[in-house]
């Protein structure tokens, strides 16, 4: 399915789920099948209104109708879980290694790469546009508190790290705005710089945001990886 068709299909599903009654019908069918009459009784809805909502859900590809193998006059509604799965954006294609980039490669990019490796068990790297001589001590400390280890002197310049097949993720605004050409970031995470604040709380906040973003990105990238 091409990108435009995928967006159209997803928009149709979102529109179908935009009515509370239709969303309630989908919820009722998540764990088992039911007849329209059973749905009407469970949700205390008129049968004609259930019929209307089922028609919309069927048109969006969310629900199918099958005949009972017992009483052929009875129909059962069945949810199509694949349609709900289609609500997620398509996976990122052609991703090899993930490289996280910030300005000094001393905190955010280092933490993001370590989180990525732990979350996916896949290769990751980090780099900076103007790398510092060493990793920030508070970045090392927050990593240790969460069971990660950073190489204190493992900083590097983007020119020495980024390769053509890499997915480059800028985890600071400066790197996103400064990088061009082959190292141009494909994704941008606007994570506030904890070094500017210089407190443990700021580093914990940066860690938490990076962890959440890694968790969101990982399924999209791993789904695109060859088996």
């Amino acid at each position: 399915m091409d990108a435009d068709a995928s967006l159209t299909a997803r928009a149709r599903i979102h529109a179908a789920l935009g009515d509370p009654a239709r969303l309630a019908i989908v919820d009722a069918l998540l764990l088992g099948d039911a007849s329209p009459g059973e749905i009407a009784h469970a949700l205390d809805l008129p049968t004609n209104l259930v019929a209307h909502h089922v028609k919309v859900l069927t048109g969006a590809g969310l629900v199918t109708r099958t005949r009972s193998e017992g009483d052929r006059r009875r129909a059962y509604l069945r949810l199509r879980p694949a349609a709900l799965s289609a609500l997620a954006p398509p996976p990122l294609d052609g991703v090899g290694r993930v490289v996280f980039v910030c300005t000094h490669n001393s905190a955010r990019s280092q933490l993001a790469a370590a989180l990525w490796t732990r979350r996916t068990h896949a290769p990751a790297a980090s780099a900076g546009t103007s790398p510092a001589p060493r990793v920030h001590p508070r970045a090392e400390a927050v990593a240790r508190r969460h069971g990660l280890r950073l190489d204190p002197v493992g900083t590097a310049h983007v020119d020495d790290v980024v390769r053509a097949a890499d997915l480059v993720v800028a985890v600071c605004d400066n790197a996103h705005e400064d990088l061009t050409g082959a190292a141009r970031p494909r994704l941008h995470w606007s994570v506030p710089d904890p070094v500017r604040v210089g407190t443990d709380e700021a580093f914990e906040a940066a860690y938490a945001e990076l962890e959440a973003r890694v968790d969101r990105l990982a399924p999209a990238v791993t789904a695109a990886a060859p088996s």
Side-chain angles (χ1 to χ4, degrees):
M1 182 181 294
D2 62 37
D4 289 343
S6 174
L7 285 172
T8 299
R10 288 167 57 205
R12 188 164 58 247
I13 294 171
H14 277 290
L17 294 174
D19 183 280
R22 290 197 285 272
L23 186 57
I25 292 172
V26 168
D27 286 345
L29 295 173
L30 274 172
L31 300 180
D33 306 336
S35 69
E38 290 168 337
I39 290 290
H41 177 75
L43 301 180
D44 194 23
L45 292 173
T47 55
N48 62 331
L49 188 56
V50 169
H52 164 72
H53 289 316
V54 167
K55 182 178 180 181
V56 174
L57 293 170
T58 301
L62 283 159
V63 170
T64 60
R65 185 191 299 262
T66 60
R67 285 289 170 189
S68 167
E69 291 184 349
D71 184 348
R72 298 294 293 174
R73 295 169 297 178
R74 181 185 293 265
Y76 288 109
L77 304 174
R78 175 181 299 178
L79 186 67
R80 295 184 64 249
L84 292 177
S85 300
L87 289 175
L92 296 174
D93 294 326
V95 174
R97 187 180 58 159
V98 179
V99 179
F100 298 94
V101 178
C102 64
T103 303
H104 299 304
N105 191 211
S106 65
R108 290 165 290 181
S109 56
Q110 294 278 351
L111 291 168
L115 282 163
W116 183 264
T117 298
R118 182 170 71 181
R119 172 69 169 78
T120 66
H121 306 290
S126 67
T129 55
S130 180
R134 60 160 293 143
V135 174
H136 196 284
R138 289 188 186 274
E140 293 181 70
V142 73
R144 284 196 301 271
R145 286 196 293 273
H146 293 277
L148 296 173
R149 183 185 178 278
L150 304 181
D151 179 358
V153 294
T155 59
H157 194 278
V158 289
D159 291 344
D160 299 324
V161 174
V162 175
R163 302 192 296 255
D166 291 337
L167 170 63
V168 180
V169 181
V171 294
C172 82
D173 297 340
N174 287 333
H176 173 66
E177 293 162 8
D178 292 344
L179 285 172
T180 58
R184 176 69 181 167
R186 186 171 174 185
L187 296 176
H188 172 214
W189 297 350
S190 185
V191 180
D193 185 3
V195 175
R196 291 188 180 183
V197 182
T199 64
D200 288 344
E201 290 77 12
F203 278 83
E204 285 287 351
Y207 179 93
E209 182 166 354
L210 289 167
E211 183 178 40
R213 288 177 178 267
V214 163
D215 285 344
R216 291 203 301 272
L217 176 61
V221 172
T222 54
S227 57

